[in-house]
Structure formats: C-alpha cells, structure tokens
C-alpha cells in the first residue's frame, strides 16, 4: 500500500490563491506597521511617530473591509511589552436600600486564576488616565456665557482620595499643575461593572474606587537607608456613585 | 612550487554580457517563483494539520471552560459589559471616533441572545460541544467553521478581552480554512464527505484499507500559521525595543516586583545581591530579545535547531505564567511554534504518542518508505 500521488493543482488555482495569500499577508504587515510608536524625543517634546504613509494607505482599506470582519485587528504590540505599567486594583462599595455598605475587592482572591486574571485586565483598563491639556493664553468669553468644563480627577481637602469633578477650563488657564482625567473608555467600563454588581447582588447603588501604584524602578536597589515615601505611594480615585 | 605568471597580480573582473545578466535575472526570478509555489502549494501528509487541530481544540476547551460559572457575567448583555455600556461605546464612537476605543466592537452570537440568560448558557455550552467535536475531528468541515465562529463570539466582550485570545483566534481561523478544503481535491469524496468532512480527520481513525492522502490544504494552513506567527514574534520584539527598560535589561524586574505586592523589606533583602541579580535578569531578558529577533532564521530549520524553537516556546510558556501571571499566551505560542515541524517530524511524534500496535507489516513498510521519501525531499529542499 503506498501513498497516492497528488493530482497537481492547475496554474489558474495557484495564481488565484497566490493573489489571495499576498493580499492577506499585505494586510497583516500593514496592520503591524501602522501601530503608533513612541513617544520619541522630538524638537517639540516627546511625541508619537506617524505610521509610514504607504502602510497607512493600505491599512485604511484592508482594516475596514477585511481584517475587522475576521477579528484580526490586533497589531501584535502587546501591552505586556510595556514593563512600567502601574499596578491597579479596585474595590466596589455597594449600598442597599437601608444604607448598609458591602465592600468587594478586585481582583477577588477567592476567584479562580482565570477569572481573577480577567478582573486584573479590567482593573488595568480603569487606569488609562490621560493628561488634561492646560491653556496657555487667556480665555475671553462672551457676556453671560459660562466657560466649558472638563471631567478630571481633583483632590478634595481633608481626603487623600481623588474624585471626578467637572472643572472649568478657566481653572486650567495658566495652571502649572498637571491634571489627569480618566479615559472615556474607563468610565464606560467602571459604570458597567458597578451596574453589573448592583444587579447581581440586589444593591441600590455602588461606588468604584481605584487603587494604583506606579511601577517600582530598579534604581531603588542602589539606595541606602529608607526608600523615598513616593516609592510606595498609593493613589485612590473614586469614579463616583452609579445606580443600575 | 610553480606559480602562474598572473598570481599575486590583481585580475580584471570579467563583466557579464548583457544577455548573461538577463539570463541570471530570469533564473533568479524563476527560482523565486518556484520557491513561492513549492512553499505554498506542495501536498503534504495531513498529520501536522490534525495534530495542530487536536492541540488547538484542547486549548479552546481549556480557555472557555473556566468561565462556566461566570457565563452571564462574561458573555451576556447583563454582565460586565451590559447593553447600556455598548450604547455608551457606540455614542463615543460617533462623537470621538473609533480609535478612542481600545478594541473595535465586533460581532458575537451572544448579542443575538439579548439579555436572555438561558439562551446565553445554551450558546456557551454549544460552543464547548463544538470545540470538543472539532478536537475529535467529527464533521471537521462544519465544526471547524463553528469553532471559529464561537471563538469570535467568546472573545467579543471588550471588557474582558485578553490579547492572547487573538492568537487563539488566528489558529482557529487557519484551521477552519484548512478543514474547509481538506480532502476536496486529492480524493473522490462522497457528497456527505464533501459537505461535512473526510473521515480520516477523525482522531481515532486508523486507516483501514485507505492510505493517508497528501493534502495541499494541510500545507497551506500550516504555512499560514508559520508565517503569521513569525510576523507576531518579530513585531512584538520590535515593539519591546520602544521601551527603555528593554534596552537597559530590566524589563523583567517590573512584573517580578509588582508595586502592590512588593515591600520595602523585599527591596532591602534584594539589595545585598543586586549586582548578580541584575546581571542574570538582564542576560535572560536579552536572550529573549535575541530569540525573538532571530526567530525567522531558525524556525524553519530542522535538526538541533528544534531544541531552540521548542525549548524557547516551553521556556516562554513558563515565563509568561511565572513572571507575567498570564495564562494562554504560552500554550497558544507553543502550538504556533509546533506548526514549524515537518510532516516527517509530526509522524515521528505521533508514532511515539500513539503506538500503532494494530498496524500490519504492510502499513509499517509503507509508512517507513513514505517517511524516507519525505526526509529525502526535505533535505533536498
């Protein structure tokens, strides 16, 4: 008994398949090349580099009309490649109708490894803060018109917890202090998760508090004596109350 | 010793005539074209394709099953990402553009179930069933397509999406393509086999009177996985080089000393042996970078290079769990790396895992001669 010799493929099939293979591989390479890179040092300060125009042009077509339908939308720039990401956990304080509070911590130590890992991914997505651009010049407003506001983290006197507040752009004018705000996506995720817990546990409302610490730099190994307090500084940010 | 008069003097380099240059260019173009055709369109034994299917199927089950007690939370529109959150995301896309979302919102069968928890559970368990049937090779044409559809549906939730799931999705996609075409060309299948898949894809198929058919689809699938994984490994290496910590050799320091778990005492305890600690940490990290950057140069080589390929894959799996606490990356990459094994290596591996006790002497002779022919062909390639 011997292995049958395969029937050769007709040239037309080979040519058509080659064209499809080339198209597919070109789409994948263009996707990888159009990932934002940097920030790199430039004469205008740190900035992300623009993707190469040829790859951008190809990707604009192939991403929309091909790759997104196959769900091949990842550009292989994995988040874990960035080693200095902050460590994040969060807790949710659930209130019932009588006002009693239950606090749940995430990642939940009692959950399975796989579920805990997903909770960790969610926590990491909540820490995607972006800096608020401060105004250099003066804002002149028409009479009777209020300055626009922006949602940002703001410290409250007597508390170490940052809260989300609508801050007038007037406050940002000439302000040297760098203010941060949560990404729109992290707000959506935080509200959705609190709603889910409220539904699951029959709570009336919930508040999500994010705890995060910046990465510890290895230079601490070379420091003599006690480490600077900011090494282990923990920042707590309150995403506000949510009702289902 | 006599020397020719011209020795030691610079020799004029003979310029090729215009016709010769043209011929050389045509030869290299022809060689390139032939290389391309051989690479993509050679019929091979399907053992590698079946092996990758079984391993991917097991991985799909291991990936999806741990969420059995979190089905509503993870997959329904009343879970972590509820219907209201999808509406908010949609408003954000129309207001700020899709690029403000970390992942595009895709499609999922679970969206059809709405907020009916019973339907979500039925879909989830159907998915597990499909993965199991695909692993076994039952109706592989149908279950291959359904497996890919279920993978897309299970990974659709943007609130719980993990990057390693894209690797699983890639494996499922190419295997789907492979099994749609497997057995369609080199056999005369019945209508049923043409529609649902050939019987030799069944895990426990032992051949009977038929001998294994060489398959173009098996080669095409494996080549796609090989090229795609090479692209991923190299792209990820270049991305790493955008961070100073990878250049300074301390990239592993950060995940190994998570800020919320490390205390001042831990740091002081490490400080005594910091020089040797950082030496080995940076050496290990640079070896990982070198492995990734040179990956395409050894992945297709046989012989002892296999230790580098598969040893790297196993160490990467251990590292991704021990250092990064990340499941799924390790096994998904290892399956991708196994795709570089040649058909002869796959058959060698299979014969060690499943000894063919029932094989006749004729089968054994036939297998031996097939292996010899393939080994010769691979060596000549």
């Amino acid at each position: 008994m011997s292995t049958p010799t395969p029937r050769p493929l007709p040239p037309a099939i080979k040519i058509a398949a080659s064209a499809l293979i080339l198209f597919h591989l070109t789409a994948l390479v263009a996707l990888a090349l159009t990932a934002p890179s940097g920030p790199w040092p430039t004469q205008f300060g740190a900035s992300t580099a623009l993707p190469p125009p040829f790859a951008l042009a190809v990707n604009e077509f192939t991403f929309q009309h091909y790759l997104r339908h196959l769900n091949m939308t990842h550009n292989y720039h994995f988040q874990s490649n960035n080693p200095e990401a902050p460590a994040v956990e969060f807790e949710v304080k659930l209130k019932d109708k009588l006002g009693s509070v239950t606090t749940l911590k995430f990642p939940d130590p009692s959950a399975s490894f796989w579920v805990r890992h997903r909770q960790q991914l969610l926590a990491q997505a909540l820490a995607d803060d972006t800096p608020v651009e401060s105004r250099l010049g003066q804002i002149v407003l028409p009479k009777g018109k209020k300055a626009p506001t922006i949602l940002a983290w703001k410290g409250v006197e007597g508390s170490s917890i940052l809260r989300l507040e609508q801050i007038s752009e007037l406050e940002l004018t000439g302000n040297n202090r760098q203010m941060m705000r949560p990404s729109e996506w992290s707000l959506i995720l935080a509200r959705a998760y609190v709603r889910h817990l409220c539904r699951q546990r029959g709570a009336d409302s919930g508040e999500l508090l994010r705890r995060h610490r910046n990465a510890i730099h290895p230079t601490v190994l070379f420091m003599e004596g006690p480490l600077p307090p900011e090494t282990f500084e923990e920042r707590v940010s309150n995403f506000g109350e949510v009702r289902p | 010793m006599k020397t020719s008069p011209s020795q030691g003097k610079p020799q004029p380099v003979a310029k090729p005539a215009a016709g010769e240059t043209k011929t050389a260019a045509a030869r290299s173009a022809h060689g390139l074209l032939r290389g391309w055709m051989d690479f993509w369109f050679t019929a091979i034994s399907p053992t590698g394709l079946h092996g990758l299917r079984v391993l991917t199927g097991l991985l799909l089950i291991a990936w999806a099953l741990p969420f059995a007690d979190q089905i509503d939370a993870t997959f329904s529109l009343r879970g972590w990402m509820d219907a209201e959150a999808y509406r908010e995301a949609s408003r954000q896309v129309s207001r700020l553009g899709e690029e403000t979302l970390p992942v595009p919102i895709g499609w999922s069968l679970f969206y059809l179930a709405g907020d009916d928890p019973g339907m979500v559970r039925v879909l989830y368990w159907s998915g597990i069933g499909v993965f199991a049937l695909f692993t076994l090779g039952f109706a592989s044409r149908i279950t291959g397509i359904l497996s890919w559809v279920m993978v897309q549906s299970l990974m659709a939730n943007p609130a719980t999406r993990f990057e390693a799931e894209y690797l699983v999705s890639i494996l499922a996609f190419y295997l789907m393509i492979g099994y749609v075409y497997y057995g369609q060309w080199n056999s005369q299948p019945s209508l049923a086999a043409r529609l649902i898949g050939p019987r030799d894809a069944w895990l426990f198929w032992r051949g009977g009177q038929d001998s294994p058919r060489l398959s173009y689809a098996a080669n095409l699938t494996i080549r796609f996985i090989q090229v795609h994984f090479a692209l991923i490994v190299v792209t990820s290496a270049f991305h790493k080089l955008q961070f100073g910590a990878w250049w300074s050799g301390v990239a592993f320091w950060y995940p190994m000393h998570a800020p919320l778990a490390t205390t001042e005492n831990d740091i002081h305890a490490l400080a005594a042996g910091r020089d040797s600690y950082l030496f080995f940490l940076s050496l290990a990290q640079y070896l990982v970078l070198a492995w990734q950057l040179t990956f395409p140069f050894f992945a297709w080589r046989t012989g002892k290079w296999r230790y580098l390929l598969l040893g790297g894959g196993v160490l990467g799996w251990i590292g991704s769990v021990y250092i990064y606490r990340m499941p799924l990356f390790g096994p998904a990459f290892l399956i991708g790396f196994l795709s570089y094994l040649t058909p002869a290596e796959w058959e060698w591996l299979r014969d060690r895992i499943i000894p063919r006790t029932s094989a006749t002497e004729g089968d054994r002779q036939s297998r031996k001669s097939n292996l010899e022919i393939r080994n010769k062909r691979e060596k000549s390639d």
Side-chain angles (χ1 to χ4, degrees), chain A residues 1 3 7 18 24 68 71-72 74 76 79 81 83 118 185 191-192 195 199 213 216-217 221 227, chain B residues 36 78 82 88 98 102 152 160 163 165 174 185-186 216 228 246 253-254 259 264 363 366 370:
Chain A
M1 189 166 62
T3 303
R7 264 199 300 157
S18 293
H24 180 73
R68 71 172 303 153
N71 211 358
M72 287 194 180
H74 199 279
Y76 319 120
Q79 280 171 10
N81 287 344
R118 297 302 160 129
W185 179 243
R191 288 192 289 260
R195 281 196 299 270
R199 278 193 299 267
R213 263 187 207 175
I216 302 170
H217 200 271
L221 288 175
L227 300 176
Chain B
W36 169 272
R78 293 164 47 85
D82 57 10
E88 285 180 28
E98 193 175 36
Q152 304 317 307
T160 60
E163 290 176 310
E165 286 169 345
Y174 291 128
W185 182 257
N186 269 327
Y216 292 105
H228 205 146
W246 283 95
W253 159 271
Y254 295 96
E264 189 158 354
D363 283 341
S366 158
N370 284 342

Side-chain angles (χ1 to χ4, degrees), chain B residues 102-351:
Chain B
V103 287
I105 307 282
W107 53 269
S108 168
L109 288 183
F110 289 102
Y111 297 159
L112 301 175
D115 55 3
D116 178 355
M119 196 62 183
V120 172
R121 282 193 196 106
V122 167
L123 276 174
Y124 171 82
W125 286 109
S126 305
I128 299 285
V130 163
F131 293 156
L133 292 175
F134 185 55
T135 307
L136 292 169
F138 178 80
S140 53
R141 255 190 261 295
I142 309 285
T143 51
I145 296 170
L146 291 177
S147 288
W148 179 74
V149 170
M150 280 315 298
V151 169
Q152 304 317 307
S153 301
L154 289 166
M155 66 182 277
N157 185 344
T160 60
R161 194 176 297 178
F162 175 35
E163 290 176 310
E165 286 169 345
Y166 286 97
L167 303 181
V168 176
S169 165
I170 288 165
L171 291 170
F173 175 72
Y174 291 128
L175 287 170
M176 171 184 74
I177 300 285
Y179 279 98
V180 163
Y181 290 108
Y182 175 61
Q184 302 273 26
W185 182 257
N186 269 327
S187 59
Q188 304 296 325
S190 63
L191 183 63
R194 215 174 257 295
L195 291 176
I196 66 171
R199 59 186 179 153
D200 64 352
W202 176 244
L203 180 62
F204 303 108
W205 186 78
R206 284 293 170 267
Q209 296 303 309
D210 306 330
S211 53
R213 291 184 194 95
L214 300 183
S215 164
Y216 292 105
N219 181 62
L220 187 75
T221 304
I222 287 171
R223 292 306 195 189
F224 265 130
I225 296 175
Q226 290 173 348
V227 173
H228 205 146
F229 270 76
L231 175 71
I232 294 170
V233 170
V234 175
T235 305
S236 176
F238 279 116
H239 182 224
K240 283 175 174 145
L241 293 178
Q242 293 179 22
F243 301 100
W246 283 95
W247 285 101
S248 56
V250 292
F252 289 160
W253 159 271
Y254 295 96
M256 289 174 78
H257 302 91
L260 286 165
T262 306
T263 64
E264 189 158 354
N265 285 342
D266 296 336
I267 303 287
H268 287 311
L270 277 174
R274 67 194 174 202
D275 292 335
S276 53
Y277 181 62
L278 290 177
F279 174 86
F280 286 110
L281 208 60
S282 59
L283 180 65
Q285 186 235 267
Y286 261 79
L287 287 174
V288 169
L289 266 182
W291 189 90
Q292 280 195 249
L293 285 168
T294 55
F295 183 81
F297 298 104
F298 64 79
W300 277 278
R301 287 175 183 264
T302 52
K304 288 184 179 167
W305 293 100
R306 291 300 185 220
Y307 292 110
L308 188 60
L309 174 76
L310 299 180
V314 171
L315 285 176
W317 185 346
I318 295 168
S320 69
V321 174
Y322 174 69
I323 300 177
Y324 288 97
R325 305 272 185 271
M326 287 192 303
L328 205 61
F329 261 119
F333 267 121
L334 191 58
I335 293 173
F337 300 153
L338 283 169
S339 72
Y340 294 90
L341 298 187
T342 61
E345 287 169 327
W346 271 109
E347 293 192 0
W348 177 87
L349 199 63
R350 186 198 52 193
D351 288 347

Side-chain angles (χ1 to χ4, degrees), chain A residues 128-132 150-153 164 179-184:
Chain A
D128 188 20
D129 287 354
T130 50
V132 177
I150 193 161
L151 197 64
W153 296 116
L164 271 180
M179 296 194 87
M180 302 294 284
R181 65 187 175 86
S183 67
E184 296 286 331

